[in-house]
Every structure is written in C-alpha cells, then in structure tokens.
Amino acid sequence: MAEQLAINGGPKAVQSDPGDIFQWPIITEEDEQACLEVLRRGAMSGTDVTKQFEQEYAEWHGVDYALGCSSGTAALQSAMWACGVRAGDEIIAPSLTYWASALPVFSLQGTVVFAEVDPNTLCLDPNDIEHRITDRTKAIVPVHYCGHPADMDPIMEIAEKHNLKVIEDVSHAHGALYKGRLVGTIGHVGCFSVMSGKSLAVGEGGMLITNDRKIWEYAIAWGHYGRTKATQWTGDLDQAVITEPELKPFVGLPWGGYKYRMHQLSSAVGRVQLKHYRSRMEEIQKAMNYFWDQLEGVPGLKAHRPPKDSDTTMGGWYAARGLYVEEELDGLPIEKFCAAVREEGVSCSPGINDPLHLHPLLNDADIYGHGKPTRIANSDRDLRQPEGSLPVTESMPRRCYSIPWFKHYRPEIIDEYALAYRKVAENADQIK
Ligand SMILES: *Cc1c(COP(=O)(O)O)cnc(C)c1O
C-alpha cells in the first residue's frame, strides 16, 4: 500500500518528541563532583587522576599498559613513532577515515599509502594491503570505522608475515568486539580518541593501550617528559618508568618536543564515564539493533553491522551509518533519498568523511618547506593516489548515509525513525 511521503504533502513519519534519546554524553552529579574534586584540590595539571583512569582503562581491556594523552591525534602520533615510523617510512591506512588516522605521520617525516575499504564494513580491506607494502612500510593502521570492527585476523597475519606493527584506531568503536575480543587489544597498540563527540565521551583526550612495554615507554618518551623520570618538581620516584637502553640517556626531555599530558578534568570525567560506559553501551546496542531489525528486507537499505548472533559487535555505534543500494531503488540519487528522509523528520545526510587521498593537502601542500609536496618529500617515488585509484573508497560518499544515534531503547520512538527510512525507500518512485 502506497503511503504518501512528507515531501509530497503526506504526514511526517516522526511525530513524537524524542526527549533525551539522542543526548550524549550523559552527565550526572557524579561527573560534576569528580570535576569539583579536581578543581578544589588544585589538581587540574598533574597525573594522579589520569593514572587511575589509565589503570581502569587497561583493566577494562585486559592489557598491561595505558597512557592518557591530550587527544586521540596525540595518541596516534605517539604510537606511530613508538612503532618505529621514522624519516622516509610509510604507513598503510584507509583513505576513508578521519584525518588523524594518517596525517600525524607527516610530522615524523614519513608518509601514508592508502588502501581500499570493504564496501560492507567500511573498514580496511585485508585483500588490498599486501601489494602496497614496500621496504619502507612500518605499520598498518586499521580503523574500526563507524563502530564496525575491521577484519583483524587477516590484517595481523599480513603484519606478522612482513614484520609490521599494527596500530588500531579505535576512536569510533570503544567497547566493540571482534570475534569476542575487544578492539584495540588485537594489534600491537590501540589508540582511542575520547573527545566529547565520541561514544566514550570524556572532554578532549586520547588513550593509548598496549601489552608491549617498549611501545608504552617510547610513547611516554615522545610526549610525556614529566613521567620519564623523577622530576625536579615532584621528586616522585614512581615516575621513573623508562627502562629501554635507547631512551634512558634522554629522560627528562620529550623526544618529540611535544607535551601530550591529559587534562585532569578530562581524566576525572573519564573515570566516571567509563564506570557507566558498558551498561550505557549495551542500551545503545539494543536500541540500534532494534532500529535495523525494523528495516530488515527494505529495498535500498542495508545495515552497517556485523551478522547477528556473531561475537562481533558495534560498540557504541559512533557515527552510525546505513549502506545505500541505489540499484534497488531505480538509481535514485542518495541526495534525493536523504532529502526525502529529512522531510519525514529525521536529520539524514549522505556520505561520511571525504576520501583523504583526493584532498589537496595530501597531494600538493609543502608543509615543511622541502620544496615539494610533503606527501612525497621523503620518498623515492611518487606514491600519490589520483582520482580513480581507490574506487570503492571514492564511491562511499554515494553509498552511505547517516542514521539516528539512539542512546536509549525506546521502541515506540525508534519505530517512527525507522518508518521514515522505510517509507521513503518503499515509495522511492514518488520522488522526482
Ligand atoms: C576523532 C578521531 C581521531 C582523533 O581524535 P582527537 O581526540 O579528535 O584528536 C582519530 N581517528 C578517528 C577515526 C577519529 O574519529
């Protein structure tokens, strides 16, 4: 039975007040008290609260080491250096990601080679990695994109075969499972943004986790000078963490010349948010899976989630997306699809991050004054990737759209949002 779309004067699918179903992060008096405690104690700088946050983060993941950083970007750059990326070296990363998965490599005098993503997971395609490895490749950076775990088993196999490090970018997928294992614990090091937009929302901050003491020490040496030894200010001998012979002569100053300490107001909020994260995340999972269950079998719409009843999960569903199969909707352009969904009362937009490899910064910018583009300044070949070189990645802006990010399981509200998408897809022939 044909329903009239809102763009053609029909009733909007979304009629109810959504209340606080989208509100995030959830801040209570507990967060406020934790901040006040830090403020009143005069402990905004320092590391005592951060160290507690690190310990709890490490315990959650069952890893030996965690390092709180000022941002996810800082954690990623530190991890790249700690994994041995130096002048002229290369990392392999997806082009479909937030820039911080790749761009920090420039400041290490290295560069990035982009690999394709899988059109169903939106994560690094394991089949497109190996032929891009050169003798300069040092690390692979899989991103668990929009909450979906990357296919880590084959990636780890390739890394092992070629003696590469794997840096997981977990900024979209806090708490997601890959075959029963928490993402961030599978590679050699896991890096998380915990800025306020992410599913584990702390403020500005980043976290690095690893079981490799060497990686942890190198990350500390890179941007945490105060923790490399007992400082003249604190006299705290517990801070003498550096045991690596290469690092030892240089303790007390940061190798990178960066200061990446986490603000302790972030650490304080982080401890409270983390305490409640798993139960809140479970409710998000229940709500988001319910949303997709309502759209099962609708033409043109495909869920971006792992197969049901598998032990792979979407964590907090950050930046949740749906996949668009325009062939099933008579070639309806995604912009028109999204515009019709918006008329039904849902903010829906096409695409996601623009592919990095097509951005001028990756092709033309001479950031450091080498007299040639930074992307190739330290390379013996032109590894830039022009339009057409990564067709799956380049198609994704037309192949996915945003969906609502529900924080609470309230079926009667979620039904209305699901109806908006279903109604538009099933009546796509009404759209001119
Ligand atoms: C947000 C984000 C980062 C960077 O984190 P910041 O805390 O903003 O520096 C890195 N990678 C991905 C995939 C992100 O979404």
Side-chain angles (χ1 to χ4, degrees):
M1 195 186 60
E3 297 152 292
Q4 195 167 27
L5 296 180
I7 47 161
N8 295 330
K12 284 182 186 295
V14 175
Q15 295 284 341
S16 304
D17 176 355
D20 62 355
I21 200 167
F22 298 121
Q23 194 179 310
W24 198 256
I26 296 169
I27 297 294
T28 69
E29 212 179 293
E30 207 180 344
D31 304 85
E32 294 166 6
Q33 284 305 328
C35 288
L36 284 176
E37 197 273 329
V38 170
L39 289 172
R40 289 177 178 154
R41 196 159 54 81
M44 283 189 283
S45 283
T47 54
D48 61 325
V49 188
T50 301
K51 283 177 178 168
Q52 289 171 310
F53 184 33
E54 288 169 353
Q55 192 183 336
E56 288 153 4
Y57 213 95
E59 276 167 12
W60 172 31
H61 286 86
V63 296
D64 292 337
Y65 306 105
L67 181 65
C69 297
S70 51
S71 68
T73 306
L76 281 157
Q77 190 213 33
S78 310
M80 288 174 194
W81 186 73
C83 285
V85 177
R86 299 289 184 272
D89 289 343
E90 297 167 14
I91 61 166
I92 295 176
S95 172
L96 187 72
T97 182
Y98 183 71
W99 53 261
S101 313
L103 284 194
V105 76
F106 283 167
S107 60
L108 306 177
Q109 330 267 326
T111 193
V112 56
V113 172
F114 294 112
E116 274 288 26
V117 291
D118 177 288
N120 292 309
T121 67
L122 305 182
C123 299
L124 208 53
D125 179 352
N127 297 312
D128 194 53
I129 294 173
E130 213 161 1
H131 68 107
R132 301 185 187 276
I133 295 173
T134 70
D135 57 359
R136 304 314 305 262
T137 311
K138 286 290 175 348
I140 306 172
V141 187
V143 183
H144 306 292
Y145 200 53
C146 300
H148 201 303
D151 191 5
M152 291 302 293
D153 281 347
I155 293 173
M156 293 310 295
E157 219 170 277
I158 292 164
E160 219 157 281
K161 184 171 152 197
H162 297 274
N163 196 25
L164 307 177
K165 296 285 193 232
V166 173
I167 301 167
E168 290 178 73
D169 185 346
V170 200
S171 302
H172 289 190
H174 314 73
L177 298 176
Y178 172 75
K179 299 185 183 176
R181 287 174 290 167
L182 275 169
V183 294
T185 66
I186 302 161
H188 300 88
V189 51
C191 297
F192 305 69
S193 169
V194 290
M195 59 79 66
S196 318
K198 304 294 159 82
S199 63
L200 181 58
V202 161
E204 292 296 340
M207 191 62 85
L208 177 155
I209 62 169
T210 183
N211 280 316
D212 185 333
R213 183 170 180 108
K214 189 171 169 180
I215 290 178
W216 182 66
E217 287 193 18
Y218 270 71
I220 289 172
W222 183 249
H224 300 258
Y225 75 100
R227 287 171 69 162
T228 58
K229 69 180 189 83
T231 69
Q232 57 190 315
W233 300 286
T234 65
D236 181 358
L237 287 171
D238 286 347
Q239 295 194 3
V241 296
I242 299 297
T243 59
E244 283 294 319
E246 225 187 49
L247 298 173
K248 262 191 146 167
F250 305 104
V251 293
L253 292 179
W255 280 68
Y258 297 103
K259 187 180 163 204
Y260 284 162
R261 188 188 301 163
M262 186 182 275
H263 195 303
Q264 295 226 101
L265 283 178
S266 288
S267 319
V269 174
R271 293 189 66 205
V272 177
Q273 288 295 314
L274 179 55
K275 190 169 131 195
H276 298 287
Y277 183 65
R278 278 147 287 183
S279 62
R280 288 172 183 167
M281 178 184 74
E282 269 168 35
E283 189 169 4
I284 291 173
Q285 292 188 349
K286 198 170 168 195
M288 297 303 291
N289 277 316
Y290 176 83
F291 171 81
W292 277 122
D293 290 347
Q294 305 318 300
L295 296 172
E296 197 92 43
V298 174
L301 307 184
K302 209 165 137 192
H304 178 236
R305 62 173 171 179
K308 267 199 276 183
D309 308 317
S310 72
D311 49 3
T312 297
T313 67
M314 296 286 284
W317 289 77
Y318 175 73
R321 286 296 183 281
L323 304 174
Y324 189 64
V325 192
E326 64 174 27
E327 294 79 0
E328 294 176 3
L329 298 178
D330 225 3
L332 178 73
I334 192 165
E335 290 77 14
K336 289 193 170 184
F337 172 82
C338 290
V341 172
R342 283 197 296 276
E343 282 301 308
E344 300 292 337
V346 186
S347 88
C348 171
S349 53
I352 188 151
N353 295 116
D354 289 330
L356 287 171
H357 68 284
L358 302 180
H359 194 284
L361 191 83
L362 274 298
N363 293 298
D364 307 327
D366 177 5
I367 303 164
Y368 298 108
H370 284 102
K372 51 181 167 171
T374 299
R375 178 88 183 276
I376 55 168
N378 299 297
S379 305
D380 51 11
R381 69 188 198 285
D382 189 347
L383 43 70
R384 287 175 292 184
Q385 292 159 284
E387 195 162 357
S389 60
L390 295 168
V392 179
T393 298
E394 289 167 34
S395 76
M396 289 328 298
R398 307 188 304 276
R399 290 284 178 184
C400 63
Y401 48 86
S402 60
I403 58 166
W405 186 16
F406 303 106
K407 314 304 190 308
H408 299 283
Y409 177 65
R410 292 174 192 151
E412 65 291 349
I413 299 281
I414 300 170
D415 282 341
E416 294 185 5
Y417 287 82
L419 174 64
Y421 287 80
R422 184 181 63 67
K423 208 175 138 191
V424 172
E426 287 181 349
N427 298 282
D429 58 342
Q430 286 185 34
I431 303 170
K432 298 289 169 300

